[in-house]
Amino acid sequence: MSKLLPLSIFALYSATSMAHTTQVLNGYWQYDEYLEAHPKQKQLTQELTEVVRGYPTPLAIGQKEPVTISVVYPGQQISDYWIRNIKAFEYRLEKLGINYEINQVFTRPNVDVRQQSLSLLEAVQNNSDYLIFTLDTTRHRKFIEHVLSSTDTKLILQNITTPVRAWAQQQPFMYVGFDHIKGTRIIESYYKEKLESDSRYSVLYFSEGYVSDARGDTFIEEMSHHDNYKLSSSFYTKATRESGYNAAKTAIKKDPDLKFIYACSTDVALGAADALNELERGDIMLNGWGGGTAELEAIANKKLDLTAMRMNDDTGIAMAEAIKWDIEGRDVPNVYSGDFELVTSEDSAEKLEKLKQRAFRYSDL
């Protein structure tokens, strides 16, 4: 198959045009690989993991003045990950007795370029002690390199757990999130368990960037190791429900014999679910990614078949604990990934409720 020209809503790519994870993430350490190569970091990450799962221990020293924190998040999505994350972060800071001032801006993913730029510039000009941002595009990377080389602001990169190899001499303060590769492999294993016969599938990406590479290309590479799974099509979307809907309809029109659709994000998955419902194609399996409130409702209503559910508040708690350790003069791990749990439409309401209590233990308060 040859590569098609971009469509108005999304770009369609053939299976032959997709790079494997080993190529796409070649400039990054994979999470487990990094920890194995850096024993000290592995120990620190393990210690932080235990602290995150436990009860808060207040700050051991006094503060002369509040720490200043700037947050720029792509939080304008159906997925409530980002909003819950910051709520858990602030709740833990308060439980730790940390005096802080926070300025937060929520933008749309990879859309509000001017708003992002102004907010980031303001954070740097104000000499914030900590800046919490993400890394998904080349534009993000250029800004991050500017911060690393020219300011004293400590950078926490959210939603990425794979250190950039080129920054070996000057890494950000911390990478924190739910490792995309781990979550993807949970979903991949479930599909392989349920669909053993010859199965054709489509991949609906996030917008172009790191998240799509880590979630989408990892999935394609893992599935390619088995001859009985065939990639029929793959689409970059605008990371919205509407673009997921349009991409799913096009995928099914192109190949009515699809067995499943792999979606790389919540908004995209819910759009695909709308399309399956409209076309009365309940025979096509569909996953979510992340397990936030909207996805869990869709799973309970049998509109999604499964998801890799993030124990959502882990990363907000981890960031608060890392700042506490830093104030106390302790070493802080470079990377941290929160826990996942597989959730399917076959799970009981009781199981879902227990997972919600664990995942949203602060953000639901």
Side-chain angles (χ1 to χ4, degrees):
M1 293 187 292
S2 60
K3 185 184 294 185
L4 303 183
L5 294 175
L7 301 180
S8 58
I9 302 296
F10 41 76
L12 171 64
Y13 288 81
S14 70
T16 55
S17 72
M18 299 312 304
H20 291 323
T21 304
T22 50
Q23 297 171 318
V24 173
L25 297 185
N26 191 45
Y28 301 85
W29 287 94
Q30 292 192 20
Y31 183 70
D32 290 335
E33 176 191 23
Y34 180 80
L35 294 180
E36 289 303 320
H38 300 83
K40 175 62 174 177
Q41 288 300 317
K42 184 176 183 179
Q43 178 185 344
L44 288 170
T45 298
Q46 289 173 342
E47 290 174 3
L48 181 59
T49 298
E50 292 304 313
V51 168
V52 167
R53 291 171 180 164
Y55 293 103
T57 301
L59 186 67
I61 63 174
Q63 291 177 256
K64 294 181 179 179
E65 56 188 24
V67 294
T68 54
I69 305 165
S70 293
V71 180
V72 182
Y73 271 179
Q76 293 182 12
Q77 307 177 44
I78 298 172
S79 169
D80 55 358
Y81 170 73
W82 299 96
I83 293 172
R84 285 186 177 278
N85 174 266
I86 203 68
K87 186 174 181 181
F89 173 57
E90 289 199 71
Y91 193 93
R92 188 71 163 205
L93 285 173
E94 291 163 8
K95 288 291 185 181
L96 294 172
I98 294 174
N99 189 11
Y100 70 96
E101 295 175 355
I102 190 166
N103 178 50
Q104 53 189 327
V105 176
F106 289 113
T107 65
R108 289 175 293 170
N110 298 337
V111 176
D112 294 340
V113 179
R114 185 172 181 274
Q115 179 62 64
Q116 278 190 352
S117 299
L118 290 173
S119 299
L120 293 167
L121 182 62
E122 181 182 356
V124 171
Q125 290 176 338
N126 290 343
N127 295 315
S128 297
D129 294 315
Y130 302 93
L131 170 60
I132 308 175
F133 188 46
T134 190
L135 169 58
D136 191 40
T137 68
T138 301
R139 185 179 66 253
H140 293 162
R141 182 162 177 158
K142 289 180 178 178
F143 175 81
I144 290 165
E145 288 174 346
H146 168 71
V147 173
L148 292 176
S149 63
S150 60
T151 77
D152 293 327
T153 297
K154 294 180 179 179
L155 192 60
I156 299 175
L157 291 184
Q158 181 40 279
N159 204 32
I160 175 171
T161 61
T162 52
V164 176
R165 290 180 181 271
W167 297 342
Q169 301 305 314
Q170 195 174 28
Q171 290 286 1
F173 176 68
M174 190 181 193
Y175 298 84
V176 59
F178 294 85
D179 188 59
H180 301 295
I181 295 174
K182 288 180 180 290
T184 295
R185 285 174 174 160
I186 288 172
I187 298 171
E188 168 251 326
S189 295
Y190 184 83
Y191 277 132
K192 285 182 178 178
E193 177 186 339
K194 293 294 182 180
L195 299 171
E196 296 181 354
S197 59
D198 184 42
S199 299
R200 301 176 64 80
Y201 70 97
S202 179
V203 170
L204 307 188
Y205 285 95
F206 198 63
S207 53
E208 289 190 66
Y210 172 85
V211 171
S212 282
D213 294 343
R215 294 181 183 178
D217 290 354
T218 296
F219 186 83
I220 291 171
E221 182 182 37
E222 293 291 326
M223 298 304 284
S224 73
H225 296 160
H226 300 266
D227 294 336
N228 54 330
Y229 300 97
K230 306 296 183 184
L231 176 64
S232 175
S233 60
S234 56
F235 302 81
Y236 282 116
T237 71
K238 290 186 175 181
T240 62
R241 187 168 190 158
E242 180 185 7
S243 62
Y245 166 84
N246 286 311
K249 288 188 71 173
T250 301
I252 295 167
K253 182 177 180 180
K254 178 179 183 292
D255 187 354
D257 295 324
L258 290 177
K259 293 291 181 67
F260 68 95
I261 293 174
Y262 173 78
C264 286
S265 76
T266 296
D267 295 50
V268 172
L270 295 177
D274 294 339
L276 293 182
N277 181 62
E278 178 183 305
L279 297 172
E280 297 182 346
R281 291 302 306 269
D283 58 306
I284 298 176
M285 294 183 69
L286 173 66
N287 65 279
W289 217 111
T293 304
E295 284 191 14
L296 296 179
E297 289 178 358
I299 285 176
N301 294 325
K302 310 297 183 184
K303 293 180 179 180
L304 294 176
D305 293 285
L306 71 147
T307 191
M309 182 180 177
R310 296 174 288 211
M311 296 298 100
N312 196 99
D313 294 358
D314 282 1
T315 48
I317 294 168
M319 293 190 303
E321 291 288 350
I323 289 174
K324 175 199 166 190
W325 286 14
D326 192 40
I327 294 171
E328 293 175 341
R330 298 171 58 186
D331 290 337
V332 174
N334 291 146
V335 296
Y336 170 84
S337 176
D339 295 331
F340 285 98
E341 294 288 344
L342 172 68
V343 174
T344 77
S345 57
E346 300 168 356
D347 289 333
S348 67
E350 291 76 16
K351 177 181 177 180
L352 287 180
E353 187 57 36
K354 287 182 179 179
L355 288 175
K356 287 180 186 178
Q357 290 175 7
R358 178 179 161 199
F360 310 140
R361 58 194 183 277
Y362 281 176
S363 59
D364 261 352
L365 296 175

